[in-house]
Every structure is written in C-alpha cells, then in structure tokens.
Amino acid sequence: DETTKEIKLKPTFQTTTMIHPMVRDLYKRVIYVGHDYPMGLDYVRKTWKKVLRNPDNCPSCFDQDKNPILPASPECEREIRKAVGKGRAYIREMVGIIQLKKYRAMKKRYDNQDFRLQNEELLEKSKTK
C-alpha cells in the first residue's frame, strides 16, 4: 500500500487597495522620522498604520460598509489633502520631540560640574591676559 500525501493549498487572496500618493509619501516621511523617535520605530509604525487605515479620518472616501470608494470624489480629495496637512504637522511635532531628546542627552553628557569649572577657569585666564 502506497500512502500518498495530498497537499492542499489554501487560496491566497491578495487585497490590493489603492493608496493615494500623498498618503504614501506621508507614511514614508513618518517612517524616516520614526527611526529616531524615543518610543521606537515599531510604536510609530503601529500607531500610524492604525490611524491611516481608520475610515473615520476620511468619511467621504468610504461607503457605509467601511469599504473604500474608487475612484475618489473631489470631496474625498479635499479631505485627503486636509488629513495629509494634519499629518505633516504631527511629523513636525515628532521632529521637535526628537530634537528635545537629543538636546537633553547632550546636556546630560556635557553639563557636569567639572566641565563648568574648567570653562570658568579658561574664561578667567583669557580675561586676565
């Protein structure tokens, strides 16, 4: 008796959803900035994907069953542009947080008492000359 193994392949369904080019560009910017974000790239990726996929952020682009409407209407385009503008503002906030983190790290690293005393001695020497 030969035993034959049947391999059952599950059908793969690939859902292709069109991403607006402005939204794709925004996501790329977020990922680029997210590399230095204090909470890490994984946190940034998860939260932004959740926000970008939320149909409540652009209600005129989705039907009642939360499926995207293609092609996009002019009203949807306006909402997308408005949402992308808000997203870019959030990116600027992220950049500010990253700069603050770097500033605090530099200050912590170089702002100790010995360093201050050395600077004061150098200033006094330069004034007496």
Side-chain angles (χ1 to χ4, degrees):
D1 288 59
E2 283 185 30
T3 58
T4 58
K5 294 182 181 178
E6 283 188 34
I7 299 174
K8 293 184 179 179
L9 297 175
K10 293 181 181 179
T12 57
F13 297 103
Q14 185 176 9
T15 58
T16 56
T17 56
M18 297 285 295
I19 298 175
H20 196 280
M22 291 177 71
V23 176
R24 186 181 306 116
D25 179 59
L26 180 71
Y27 185 70
K28 286 180 181 180
R29 291 175 191 225
V30 166
I31 296 301
Y32 181 76
V33 171
H35 286 288
D36 293 332
Y37 196 70
M39 297 186 76
L41 182 61
D42 288 335
Y43 171 79
V44 171
R45 186 179 285 131
K46 285 178 186 175
T47 55
W48 276 83
K49 277 188 177 183
K50 190 167 141 185
V51 169
L52 290 176
R53 292 177 179 166
N54 188 357
D56 296 331
N57 291 330
C58 190
S60 67
C61 299
F62 294 90
D63 61 9
Q64 293 171 346
D65 297 329
K66 307 288 185 187
N67 296 322
I69 300 171
L70 296 174
S73 65
E75 184 180 333
C76 179
E77 286 288 330
R78 281 192 295 276
E79 284 188 6
I80 288 174
R81 290 181 189 278
K82 187 177 176 183
V84 167
K86 287 181 182 179
R88 288 184 180 166
Y90 286 127
I91 291 174
R92 287 191 294 272
E93 289 290 325
M94 289 172 64
V95 169
I97 290 171
I98 292 167
Q99 289 174 346
L100 182 63
K101 173 192 158 195
K102 289 180 179 179
Y103 168 77
R104 286 180 176 166
M106 292 290 287
K107 186 172 181 178
K108 184 179 179 183
R109 190 174 301 141
Y110 295 110
D111 194 28
N112 58 22
Q113 191 64 28
D114 296 334
F115 189 71
R116 275 195 227 138
L117 291 175
Q118 289 174 357
N119 282 342
E120 289 174 6
E121 289 173 6
L122 289 173
L123 284 173
E124 288 176 14
K125 287 180 184 178
S126 66
K127 287 182 183 177
T128 57
K129 288 183 181 180

